[in-house]
């Protein structure tokens, strides 16, 4: 099992986890400020491949020169060189979805859900 600390790049954690776990073919477990990578058959994950994947991801978003990827035994830290952290606001707002508890019908609108729920009691 390998642990990656991403405190300085917290705003892009989801994209980073997906990219790295796909590149390494490992199962990620997301925690608050870090994620762990493991395999089903408990094989040893090559740290060099993980570091390369992290660097490629940072390069792809134009932040490769601003962050260092440091390994220490079974732990990898992504640290800001200049002391700044990546702060991105989400461009798409996640809309709330409402689901019917009886049949699983899903809608964005609470009013539509309420009307739908009434048909179950006719």
């Amino acid at each position: 099992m390998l642990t990656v600390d991403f405190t300085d790049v917290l705003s892009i954690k989801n994209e980073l986890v997906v990219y790295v776990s796909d590149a390494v073919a490992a199962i990620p477990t997301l925690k608050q400020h870090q994620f762990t990578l493991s395999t089903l058959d408990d094989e040893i994950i090559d740290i060099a491949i993980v570091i390369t994947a992290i660097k490629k991801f940072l390069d792809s978003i134009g932040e490769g020169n601003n962050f260092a990827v440091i390994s220490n035994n079974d732990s990898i830290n992504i640290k800001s060189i200049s002391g700044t952290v990546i702060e991105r606001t989400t461009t798409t707002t996640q809309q709330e979805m409402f689901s019917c508890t009886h049949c699983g019908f899903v809608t964005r609108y609470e009013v539509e859900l309420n009307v739908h729920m009434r048909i179950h009691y006719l």
Side-chain angles (χ1 to χ4, degrees):
M1 188 165 62
L2 189 64
T3 304
V4 179
D5 184 342
F6 54 78
T7 305
D8 289 351
V9 293
L10 199 56
S11 64
I12 58 168
K13 69 179 178 182
N14 293 331
E15 297 91 351
L16 177 67
V17 169
V18 170
Y19 186 87
V20 172
S21 63
D22 283 348
V24 179
I27 301 166
T29 304
L30 191 60
K31 297 181 182 178
Q32 191 168 357
H33 296 287
Q34 62 187 10
F35 66 92
T36 58
L37 295 171
S38 57
T39 59
L40 287 175
D41 52 3
D42 291 331
E43 287 184 25
I44 297 174
I45 299 173
D46 189 2
I47 294 177
I49 296 173
V50 176
I51 291 172
T52 302
I54 294 170
K55 287 182 180 181
K56 282 184 182 179
F57 177 77
L58 291 172
D59 286 340
S60 73
I61 61 171
E63 296 287 347
N65 293 331
N66 298 327
F67 291 89
V69 182
I70 305 163
S71 69
N72 183 13
N73 296 331
D74 287 339
S75 179
I76 297 174
N77 291 324
I78 304 170
K79 289 293 180 188
S80 174
I81 295 172
S82 61
T84 59
V85 296
I86 296 176
E87 294 180 8
R88 291 191 177 167
T89 57
T90 55
T91 55
T92 59
T93 58
Q94 292 187 354
Q95 299 177 354
E96 248 182 272
M97 299 297 280
F98 300 96
S99 176
C100 176
T101 56
H102 299 291
C103 68
F105 172 75
V106 178
T107 181
R108 285 189 230 173
Y109 308 105
E110 187 174 12
V111 174
E112 185 177 5
L113 177 66
N114 291 336
V115 171
H116 168 82
M117 293 275 288
R118 289 182 190 148
I119 66 170
H120 291 291
Y121 299 105
L122 292 178

